[in-house]
Amino acid sequence: MRRMASITWALGLLAFGCSDSAGSSSESGSNNDTGTTGGTFDPSSMTPTSNGDATESVDESGPPPGPGGECILEANDCSDPAEKCMPWSENADRIPDRARCCPLQDNPDLDGEACTVTDYDGSCLDSCDENSMCLVDQADTLEGLCRSFCDPAIPNCNGGEGTCKSFFELVPGSLTVPLCVDKCDPLLQDCSPSSWFCIPDNPTASGQSDFICVPPPPEEPLGPFDACGLANDCQKGLVCVSGDRIPGCDALACCTAYCSLSEGDGPCQEIDGDFVCVDWMAPDPGLSDVGVCALPS
């Protein structure tokens, strides 16, 4: 039985093209001896890197993070019934500057249905119903799925099938966008549509995370041992973790594989002979078999 030192993971920004800003920070917890071969996986603070354009394009002189603009997303408090409250980006950078009342399309698409965005991702013009927005997963055609706004104070949404995730919460000057997204199992990568990635859901809270479905990155996803900075930078089935636990990683974080604790260290050692399967310690009992391939302490 090995006792593992703290291991950090890089859930930085997700940009909506997708991506969001799923990023944030927490303090690393103490080591835990669980009796598993690899020990425990203990997330801690990590800020986004310059890996993605989302962090580099932010103007810190803009409005402060959090609700701002002429309406509140989860309240949909626009006075004109022909409008809905939406995140709006002045530039085509996917980073919302403020909330704005925008035209509501006739016969709109409902939550979970396919949708389209007009002009550019972040224009606030989409085909979704009120209380929802089109989360783009095909940057070239501006197509995606409608996802509902939610109350960040209530973690579970959609009858417990979803997680209320606040996106862009770490981007200085941006609007925080809370959306209800599906829960998932990273070992199964069971998101719908199948092109979406199952990634950690919350790097802001102390302790370990569960997992949510998000669109794939707008650029080609990264492979094992590649340097990463965003939560969905890595290929499906990989996760961005602290570089000091990945052999040959000279960056703050690099991609590595998820693993099944019940299968032991063997699959991880096939990737690298020094790897062990480290317990992720997901709060959801249904995810108790989830681990990540990393160096032992």
Side-chain angles (χ1 to χ4, degrees), residues 41 52 55 59 73 93 110 115 149 163-164 210 255 263 288:
F41 186 89
T55 57
D59 179 3
L73 297 176
D93 58 5
L110 304 179
C115 55
F149 300 115
T163 294
C164 187
D210 289 322
C255 300
E263 295 181 3
S288 61

Side-chain angles (χ1 to χ4, degrees), residues 88-173:
W88 174 73
S89 302
E90 182 175 5
N91 301 311
D93 58 5
R94 304 188 304 271
I95 305 300
D97 298 307
R98 57 184 180 271
R100 188 172 182 177
C101 290
C102 298
L104 177 63
Q105 180 173 298
D106 292 335
N107 300 314
D109 299 313
L110 304 179
D111 181 40
E113 294 183 344
C115 55
T116 56
V117 170
T118 302
D119 293 342
Y120 62 89
D121 191 4
S123 69
C124 91
L125 303 174
D126 69 16
S127 64
C128 294
D129 200 0
E130 59 184 1
N131 296 313
S132 64
M133 65 170 286
C134 189
L135 189 51
V136 171
D137 59 18
Q138 300 182 53
D140 54 342
T141 60
L142 295 181
E143 296 175 296
L145 291 180
C146 295
R147 286 289 180 256
S148 295
F149 300 115
C150 54
D151 183 352
I154 305 175
N156 290 319
C157 54
N158 190 25
E161 296 297 317
T163 294
C164 187
K165 177 60 195 157
S166 294
F167 293 101
F168 302 109
E169 59 192 345
L170 280 192
V171 184

Side-chain angles (χ1 to χ4, degrees), residues 17 27 57 84 103 138 168 222 252 279:
E27 291 206 352
S57 62
K84 65 172 182 172
Q138 300 182 53
F168 302 109
L222 303 173
L252 181 64
D279 192 351

Side-chain angles (χ1 to χ4, degrees), residues 10-99:
L11 184 51
L13 296 173
L14 283 180
F16 260 164
C18 109
S19 114
D20 121 320
S21 137
S24 128
S25 62
S26 72
E27 291 206 352
S28 66
S30 60
N31 300 337
N32 295 298
D33 189 350
T34 64
T36 58
T37 303
T40 61
F41 186 89
D42 184 11
S44 65
S45 173
M46 185 170 292
T47 55
T49 71
S50 61
N51 194 307
D53 60 357
T55 57
E56 297 175 326
S57 62
V58 173
D59 179 3
E60 296 195 20
S61 65
E70 59 187 23
C71 56
I72 299 175
L73 297 176
E74 56 268 34
N76 192 38
D77 53 352
C78 296
S79 59
D80 187 342
E83 295 182 331
K84 65 172 182 172
C85 188
M86 286 283 289
W88 174 73
S89 302
E90 182 175 5
N91 301 311
D93 58 5
R94 304 188 304 271
I95 305 300
D97 298 307
R98 57 184 180 271

